[in-house]
Amino acid sequence: MKLLDGKTALITGAASPRGLGKATAQLFADHGACVVILDLDAAQAEDTAADIGEEHIGLACDVTRKADCEAAVAVVLEAYGHIDILVNNAGITQPLKIMDITHEDYDAVLDVNLLGTLNMSQCVIPHMRERKTGKLINISSVSAQRGGGIFGGPHYSAAKAGILGLTKAMARELAPDGIRSNAICPGFIATDITAGKLTPEMMEQIIAGIPMARAGEASDVAGCALFLASDLSAYVTGSEVDVNGGSLIH
Ligand code: NAD
């Protein structure tokens, strides 16, 4: 059964080859959706969309810039006529200790993760409200729930915890408009977000704390996003869904 036939999904930060966004885009496409890959670099976003199939599109969109988000949404509405699903996936992290975080670091991490989620959501909500249907899926992190301790610093935990608050507040405010808002909290997933800064010792220590004794795969998160994007989760809103191999059980 195809779960997303006829749906259009926007996924931010989805051009990273081993990332959660691309895996999610691929799975959504396999389930019949038209996907829009948004990322910083236009050519990389276009190539990623082409990899997935010819009916998909890739656009440059820096989620920290509201004008970029507005422009992308306008292009997508022109191309497909409707937007059903937004996955706020774009994110960056920095492995800093509390006293090492500068104002610049704080702005960089908060802006991509939290402001980016607000910006893109604000750009699709009026359209979703008009149609009385829509799904917002926001990628938070186990770091928000357990206070970091995997890779990202305290500012990353704070940004991801902010996403949980935003997700829940949007769920409450937008439920009467038929819009559901949920968050996913991935644990440690093998992608390129650690930018080569993860040492073998850090890796060993992380795996030791995971009852399932393995890093997660991007497809593990994509499967959860598919559930939240489809009608299988019709009565689920305001939730934070853990995809962490048991590393945080609460
Ligand atoms: P990734 O680094 O592979 O991909 C992130 C993508 O976001 C990149 O393609 C990057 O170009 C893009 N991006 C960065 N700044 C952007 C901006 N301003 N506008 C648009 N795009 C931008 O990372 P990933 O591991 O696939 O992470 C995806 C999401 O999952 C992030 O929000 C991350 O915080 C979250 N997450 C990841 C893990 C993990 O272990 N990998 C765990 C928990 C949460």
Side-chain angles (χ1 to χ4, degrees):
M1 181 179 54
K2 287 196 171 180
L3 294 168
L4 302 179
D5 257 338
K7 307 291 186 200
T8 304
L10 265 62
I11 308 179
T12 68
S16 180
R18 299 198 317 137
L20 310 186
K22 185 176 180 190
T24 300
Q26 182 68 64
L27 187 63
F28 282 13
D30 293 345
H31 276 269
C34 282
V35 295
V36 182
I37 306 294
L38 303 177
D39 212 304
L40 294 172
D41 183 72
Q44 209 189 339
E46 285 161 16
D47 288 351
T48 305
D51 259 10
I52 293 173
E54 62 183 23
E55 65 274 41
H56 311 292
I57 56 178
L59 297 170
C61 176
D62 178 343
V63 296
T64 67
R65 297 170 187 228
K66 187 78 178 284
D68 276 19
C69 302
E70 282 164 353
V73 166
V75 170
V76 175
L77 287 178
E78 180 72 25
Y80 296 117
H82 57 96
I83 295 170
D84 304 279
I85 301 152
L86 167 65
V87 183
N88 284 305
N89 169 75
I92 59 167
T93 188
Q94 297 169 340
L96 298 177
K97 300 286 183 206
I98 187 69
M99 294 308 294
D100 298 327
I101 300 166
T102 63
H103 198 155
E104 200 184 19
D105 298 327
Y106 173 91
D107 280 349
V109 168
L110 270 285
D111 281 0
V112 179
N113 287 284
L114 186 53
L115 178 63
T117 299
L118 176 69
N119 279 344
M120 274 307 302
S121 300
Q122 284 182 327
C123 289
V124 301
I125 285 168
H127 168 74
M128 289 181 171
R129 270 192 160 139
E130 233 171 70
R131 297 177 74 226
K132 292 275 174 214
T133 182
K135 287 113 197 165
L136 306 174
I137 299 164
N138 303 321
I139 308 299
S140 175
S141 170
V142 69
S143 175
Q145 303 162 309
R146 71 191 286 272
I150 293 187
F151 183 81
H155 54 336
Y156 179 74
S157 296
K160 292 303 197 185
I163 289 177
L164 292 182
L166 181 62
T167 299
K168 293 173 189 194
M170 290 198 295
R172 203 173 279 284
E173 186 176 337
L174 301 173
D177 297 305
I179 301 169
R180 297 193 286 109
S181 165
N182 290 289
I184 297 177
C185 295
F188 177 66
I189 316 289
T191 70
D192 297 322
I193 197 168
T194 45
K197 290 186 187 154
L198 192 73
T199 63
E201 296 74 46
M202 286 161 88
M203 182 76 178
E204 204 176 306
Q205 212 180 353
I206 292 168
I207 302 293
I210 305 175
M212 288 182 72
R214 68 164 176 91
E217 290 170 13
S219 59
D220 294 322
V221 176
C224 183
L226 176 63
F227 165 70
L228 293 173
S230 77
D231 289 340
L232 289 179
S233 59
Y235 200 49
V236 180
T237 198
S239 73
E240 48 191 275
V241 184
D242 297 334
V243 184
N244 65 26
S247 62
L248 181 75
I249 298 175
H250 54 111

